[in-house]
Amino acid sequence: MPLALYTFGLFRTPADDPANDGFYALNDLVFDEVDTAPGFIARSGYAMDDGTTPWGSEVYPPFYQERGDGWSPATLSLWEDLESILAFTYGGLHKTAVKRGSEWFQDGAWPPLVLWWHKTQPAYPTWAEGVERYMRLHTHGPTATAFSFKTAFTLDGKPLQVDSQRVRALKRDLS
């Protein structure tokens, strides 16, 4: 059963502000890296881009602030397991982006991401489902239907123990 991941952030400044140039310089490189990451299955495209197909209409959580740019950084993807997501998130180029995130993104009282086991195969999760799960995590905290890296669950709702050695091995594969 694949693990779905929805991420959301708000730029500190409008999207086209030069303050975000570092984000854009890394963005396509990070997407290239994720496309070949161990454990990665697929990711949604964006309506405004050529290439991968969007998984439904793009929607955002209520925290989204329209500033005339019409979008906010968000991703929706499927993975084989939590260790693969953790290795990608905290390894390779994405690790560099995470370390610099405070330069580009607002600190908010909202979670940066939500995870859930995607049970409706072969269909992909939709952006709307990602936002629904995201808001469930924000409102109710981690549960078996919407959880975080820190508090994750197995398919049968038990606490998930991360295999740290596997995460380290997978991170080496990204280097």
Side-chain angles (χ1 to χ4, degrees), residues 5-174:
L5 168 66
Y6 172 82
T7 66
F8 172 76
L10 281 175
F11 281 128
R12 291 182 176 278
T13 61
D16 60 357
D17 189 293
N20 298 320
D21 288 352
F23 170 83
Y24 292 115
L26 286 171
N27 191 59
D28 288 346
L29 298 172
V30 168
F31 277 148
D32 289 345
E33 194 171 84
V34 74
D35 288 341
T36 61
F40 173 76
I41 298 171
R43 65 181 168 89
S44 175
Y46 305 95
M48 65 182 176
D49 294 337
D50 294 331
T52 55
T53 303
W55 298 346
S57 297
E58 294 164 56
V59 295
Y60 299 104
F63 313 114
Y64 171 65
Q65 301 164 358
E66 174 55 53
R67 296 187 199 165
D69 37 24
W71 68 282
S72 192
T75 65
L76 180 61
S77 57
L78 284 176
W79 295 79
E80 291 176 5
D81 51 51
L82 184 58
E83 287 83 2
S84 298
I85 299 172
L86 288 167
F88 174 77
T89 300
Y90 299 111
L93 286 174
H94 195 267
K95 178 181 178 180
T96 302
V98 167
K99 285 182 179 179
R100 295 186 59 196
S102 63
E103 293 175 35
W104 310 309
F105 300 111
Q106 294 180 30
D107 293 326
W110 53 81
L113 60 87
V114 65
L115 301 152
W116 71 96
W117 294 103
H118 181 63
K119 299 176 183 178
T120 54
Q121 293 275 28
Y124 292 119
T126 64
W127 288 101
E129 181 182 7
V131 169
E132 175 191 331
R133 302 281 183 147
Y134 182 85
M135 292 309 298
R136 189 177 301 173
L137 174 63
H138 174 71
T139 304
H140 303 291
T143 66
T145 58
F147 50 91
S148 64
F149 286 158
K150 186 176 179 179
T151 306
F153 295 89
T154 63
L155 269 169
D156 57 0
K158 294 183 172 72
L160 182 90
Q161 296 298 315
V162 173
D163 182 343
S164 303
Q165 290 182 341
R166 184 159 179 269
V167 173
R168 283 191 292 280
L170 289 167
K171 281 168 77 172
R172 283 192 297 273
D173 290 347
L174 287 170

